[in-house]
Amino acid sequence: MPKRTSAYAPWLASKLKDPRIAEEYLKASRESPEEFLKALRRVAEAHQVSKVAEGAGRQRESVYRMLSEEGNPRLDSLWSVLRVMGLRIDVEAISKKGPARGR
């Protein structure tokens, strides 16, 4: 009996439509800006970039450009794209060991 397999990209896209899964996926890519933008692009592609761009009030081409490896999105652009996909930027401390220096 042949093994039933499915293509990885369509499977990943179907999972990344869920904001909770997308959140964890993006958190795992925070080690470098390039990796984060690549992961964010995959999430945007799962939501159809043209729909994300329209909801964010941006041109489709500019969303692709800002989420490219060489991309350097403005904060307001990033916020609007994330919001359309049910996500937001959050800030957390890197280390919780002792008080911050310089206070």
Side-chain angles (χ1 to χ4, degrees):
M1 178 180 261
K3 251 186 176 178
R4 292 188 183 254
T5 61
S6 60
Y8 177 71
W11 174 85
L12 180 61
S14 71
K15 297 297 181 188
L16 292 177
K17 288 179 185 176
D18 181 335
R20 291 180 306 261
I21 293 173
E23 172 189 355
E24 294 304 318
Y25 186 75
L26 291 170
K27 281 182 178 180
S29 72
R30 292 184 297 189
E31 292 302 314
S32 77
E34 297 83 12
E35 287 302 314
F36 180 78
L37 289 175
K38 191 183 300 183
L40 185 56
R41 182 176 179 145
R42 287 187 184 121
V43 175
E45 289 171 344
H47 287 269
Q48 297 183 343
V49 175
S50 59
K51 290 181 180 180
V52 170
E54 182 179 333
R58 310 281 182 227
Q59 296 293 321
R60 182 181 57 85
E61 295 81 13
S62 69
V63 172
Y64 273 115
R65 199 170 26 257
M66 82 177 208
L67 299 180
S68 71
E69 290 183 32
E70 299 84 29
N72 190 14
R74 291 174 39 139
L75 187 56
D76 63 331
S77 298
L78 191 57
W79 274 351
S80 62
V81 165
L82 287 166
R83 182 188 44 77
V84 169
M85 297 183 294
L87 299 165
R88 68 176 180 188
I89 294 175
D90 198 6
V91 178
E92 65 183 50
I94 293 173
S95 175
K96 296 184 181 185
K97 295 180 181 179
R101 295 182 188 251
R103 285 192 181 177

